[in-house]
Amino acid sequence: MEVYPLLVWLHLLLLVVWLGGDIGVFVLGQHFRRRDTYRLETRLVLLKLLVALDMGPRSAWALMVPSSLALLKFGPWWPTMPQWLFLGGLVLGAIWLVLVWEAHLHDQTPRAARARALEAVLRWGLAAFYLVLGTAALRNSGSPIPAFLAWKAILFGLIFVAAILIDIAFRPVGPQLAALIREGSSDATEVPLRRTMDRTRIFVLAVYALLLATSFVGVVKPAF
């Protein structure tokens, strides 16, 4: 079996896990918001399921980095990719995946806080890398990277930016959720939490739109 078709299948599988899992997380989040439908205990169970399900998309996102570079290197798109760049992508993807699970398995501990801080730095760096890579490929007429892949890199970089904004917008949820658990359901505890979730949802929908655009460009390969 040739390597490239297998890599394409793996890339599509990661997309399915990422987008499909994220939609599941979104649906659970919508049910969590229904304070008039579910008791608080039930809503907290939904929240636990949301966090567990979210590990699928988070893991797929981390693996997308080495997967995308592997497609470029082993496909007909950028076979001359420097070896250090390809190996660096593999290492970064592995480190990112470890950080994601480190934070999840040791949640609410200093160990998890360190993992999330390192992950944030890594994501900012990868956002810059993909945005610069795509922009440079579009500006350089002699670039070995086709225009559709350059746009795909830019869109992927924008996904990083939108996802980072999700985390920033979501920061107040921790204290707000703790107040909800401690004091019970009331307008004083529910309204601020609902407001934060509403703000976060804007960036979540942006990630979905960018994921659809990125996959469209990757499959259709439009001639820009």
Side-chain angles (χ1 to χ4, degrees):
M1 181 182 295
E2 295 183 5
V3 173
Y4 183 66
L6 185 61
L7 291 173
V8 171
W9 172 79
L10 176 61
H11 200 67
L12 291 174
L13 182 61
L14 291 175
L15 173 64
V16 170
V17 173
W18 187 352
L19 185 56
D22 250 346
I23 292 174
V25 169
F26 184 82
V27 171
L28 286 171
Q30 293 301 105
H31 281 276
F32 172 80
R33 294 152 57 95
R34 298 180 182 177
R35 55 185 290 200
D36 296 329
T37 304
Y38 302 107
R39 297 179 57 177
L40 179 58
E41 293 79 6
T42 303
R43 293 167 62 207
L44 292 176
V45 171
L46 291 174
L47 191 61
K48 289 182 179 179
L49 291 173
L50 182 154
V51 171
L53 183 60
D54 193 40
M55 292 308 295
R58 286 182 176 273
S59 300
W61 186 19
L63 292 173
M64 274 288 191
V65 174
S67 174
S68 63
L69 293 178
L71 284 176
L72 287 174
K73 184 169 181 62
F74 293 101
W77 313 115
W78 193 8
T80 58
M81 176 190 293
Q83 191 71 4
W84 64 265
L85 179 58
F86 174 64
L87 294 177
L90 293 180
V91 172
L92 281 179
I95 291 174
W96 188 4
L97 188 62
V98 169
L99 291 175
V100 166
W101 281 95
E102 181 90 356
H104 176 69
L105 296 174
H106 303 279
D107 197 22
Q108 305 297 323
T109 67
R111 187 171 175 178
R114 285 194 299 271
R116 291 192 175 97
L118 290 172
E119 185 189 355
V121 173
L122 188 149
R123 286 191 294 176
W124 275 114
L126 286 171
F129 167 74
Y130 279 102
L131 290 173
V132 170
L133 177 66
T135 303
L138 288 176
R139 292 171 62 91
N140 181 8
S141 58
S143 171
I145 302 176
F148 83 90
L149 279 178
W151 277 110
K152 187 178 178 183
I154 291 173
L155 289 169
F156 195 43
L158 291 176
I159 289 175
F160 276 88
V161 175
I164 290 168
L165 292 175
I166 289 174
D167 284 350
I168 293 174
F170 206 69
R171 282 175 185 169
V173 164
Q176 290 167 352
L177 185 60
L180 174 63
I181 295 172
R182 183 177 61 251
E183 301 171 19
S185 179
S186 67
D187 285 346
T189 56
E190 295 276 5
V191 172
L193 179 60
R194 177 69 177 262
R195 190 179 298 122
T196 300
M197 296 181 75
D198 286 343
R199 283 198 301 266
T200 305
R201 186 167 54 175
I202 297 171
F203 302 116
V204 171
L205 295 175
V207 168
Y208 295 164
L210 288 166
L211 266 175
L212 291 174
T214 304
S215 59
F216 174 83
V217 170
V219 172
V220 177
K221 301 176 178 58
F224 289 102

